[in-house]
């Protein structure tokens, strides 16, 4: 069994793979949470799933939250008795990175690119709806060609409600009409439907620049909100990043 852990700015995604994904979890990211607190959470998740920690044969993790990287390395090693493979751009991925400084590429984006290329095997774009909205373009030949980054939906919502006196935090769901008739629907239209237009516009520009069409994969915690609102996505893979970690682990 493989335990894959992706530490993001808002959520920590975890999954157990045994010929297929048998378990997924999401935890809230709290940068100042202690080793012991996270250890208790992980032990509880395993106990509730009926899977013993001793069954884990390999551990792979990525992190874009530096304060938690060492905490999780130590915790995972102690609980599973397996030293985690920490993803970096120096590992073998069977992809080339055609950006100015490959070390700037986030390890979650690297995992998305690996998994997207493995699934599609042709020109593809992976759109990750996380704390940041990230768009990674991968060529048919396995070259990571570049990235687009914008604030994620929740980040945009938080900025709007924090920096205005009268606009509340509302659920990120599609409104009944693009023309909002009340404050909540107006915000949902601007953010939820607005991000549909943002994604469609970026993908169209990518295709114009490449002079060919691409397959588009949606992933991340809020992908299931946006995916039904557009026909641009070839696939919806909410746990794509974990699959990329698994694939990188197999190569290393």
């Amino acid at each position: 069994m493989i335990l894959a852990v992706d530490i993001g700015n808002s959520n920590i995604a975890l999954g157990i793979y045994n010929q297929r994904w048998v378990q997924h979890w999401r935890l809230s990211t709290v940068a100042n949470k202690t080793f012991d607190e996270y250890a208790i959470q992980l032990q509880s998740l395993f106990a509730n799933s009926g899977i013993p920690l001793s069954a884990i044969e390999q551990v792979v993790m990525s992190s874009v939250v530096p304060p938690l990287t060492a905490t999780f390395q130590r915790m995972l090693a102690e609980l599973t008795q397996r030293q985690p493979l920490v993803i970096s751009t120096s590992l073998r991925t069977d992809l080339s990175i055609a950006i100015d400084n490959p070390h700037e590429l986030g390890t979650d984006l690297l995992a998305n690119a690996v998994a997207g290329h493995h699934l599609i095997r042709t020109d593809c774009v992976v759109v990750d709806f996380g704390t940041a909205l990230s768009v990674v373009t991968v060529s048919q030949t396995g070259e990571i060609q570049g990235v687009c980054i914008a604030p994620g939906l929740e980040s945009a919502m938080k900025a709007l409600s924090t920096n205005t006196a009268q606009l509340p935090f509302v659920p990120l769901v599609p409104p009944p009409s693009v023309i909002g008739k009340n404050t909540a629907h107006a915000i949902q239209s601007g953010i939820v439907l607005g991000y549909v237009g943002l994604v469609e516009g970026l993908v169209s520009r990518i295709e114009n620049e490449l002079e060919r069409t691409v397959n588009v994969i949606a992933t991340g915690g809020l992908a299931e909100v946006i995916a039904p609102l557009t026909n641009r996505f070839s696939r919806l893979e909410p746990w794509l990043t974990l699959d990329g970690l698994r694939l990188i682990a197999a190569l290393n």
Side-chain angles (χ1 to χ4, degrees):
M1 287 189 183
I2 298 172
L3 171 62
V5 181
D6 175 42
I7 305 169
N9 288 293
S10 297
N11 292 292
I12 300 166
L14 306 96
I16 298 174
Y17 186 86
N18 186 23
Q19 307 302 319
R20 62 181 179 84
W21 290 104
V22 297
Q23 189 70 59
H24 288 110
W25 300 292
R26 284 193 198 276
L27 303 176
S28 295
T29 302
V30 182
N32 61 356
K33 188 176 282 189
T34 66
F35 170 98
D36 294 320
E37 289 172 309
Y38 274 119
I40 290 169
Q41 274 191 292
L42 189 61
Q43 288 171 317
S44 177
L45 291 174
F46 270 80
N48 289 336
S49 72
I51 300 171
L53 280 159
S54 58
I56 298 301
E57 299 166 306
Q58 187 175 22
V59 182
V60 56
M61 61 172 277
S62 69
S63 174
V64 295
V65 186
L68 289 180
T69 305
T71 297
F72 265 78
Q73 273 186 276
R74 177 185 159 213
M75 180 193 70
L76 293 169
E78 288 196 13
L79 293 182
T80 67
Q81 299 300 302
R82 305 287 180 180
Q83 191 61 40
L85 174 68
V86 181
I87 299 299
S88 73
T89 54
S90 62
L91 294 176
R92 178 185 170 188
T93 63
D94 286 352
L95 299 184
S96 58
I97 304 176
I99 65 175
D100 294 340
N101 183 0
H103 297 296
E104 288 182 354
L105 184 68
T107 54
D108 53 343
L109 306 188
L110 177 62
N112 284 346
V114 170
H117 181 67
H118 179 79
L119 276 177
I120 300 296
R121 297 293 181 181
T122 186
D123 297 302
C124 76
V125 166
V126 179
V127 183
D128 192 336
F129 293 91
T131 306
L133 174 81
S134 64
V135 182
V136 181
T137 303
V138 188
S139 73
Q140 182 174 348
T141 58
E143 180 181 78
I144 301 174
Q145 297 179 301
V147 181
C148 314
I149 298 176
L153 279 79
E154 286 187 341
S155 299
M157 175 68 76
K158 188 178 295 184
L160 189 65
S161 62
T162 300
N163 295 311
T164 58
Q166 294 184 312
L167 295 180
F169 197 97
V170 301
L172 287 170
V173 297
S177 168
V178 68
I179 303 171
K181 302 298 186 183
N182 56 55
T183 300
H185 290 167
I187 294 171
Q188 288 166 341
S189 176
I191 294 182
V192 176
L193 301 183
Y195 268 73
V196 173
L198 184 154
V199 169
E200 291 176 340
L202 286 175
V203 171
S204 293
R205 285 176 175 269
I206 289 168
E207 290 180 327
N208 289 339
E209 195 166 309
L210 295 176
E211 298 182 337
R212 57 187 181 271
T213 59
V214 297
N215 285 277
V216 187
I217 305 170
T219 191
L222 289 171
E224 292 170 323
V225 174
I226 300 297
L229 304 176
T230 176
N231 61 5
R232 284 313 317 247
F233 295 125
S234 308
R235 301 182 66 134
L236 172 63
E237 300 285 344
W239 303 96
L240 186 77
T241 310
L242 294 183
D243 212 42
L245 300 183
R246 174 187 69 84
L247 292 166
I248 295 172
L251 291 170
N252 290 271

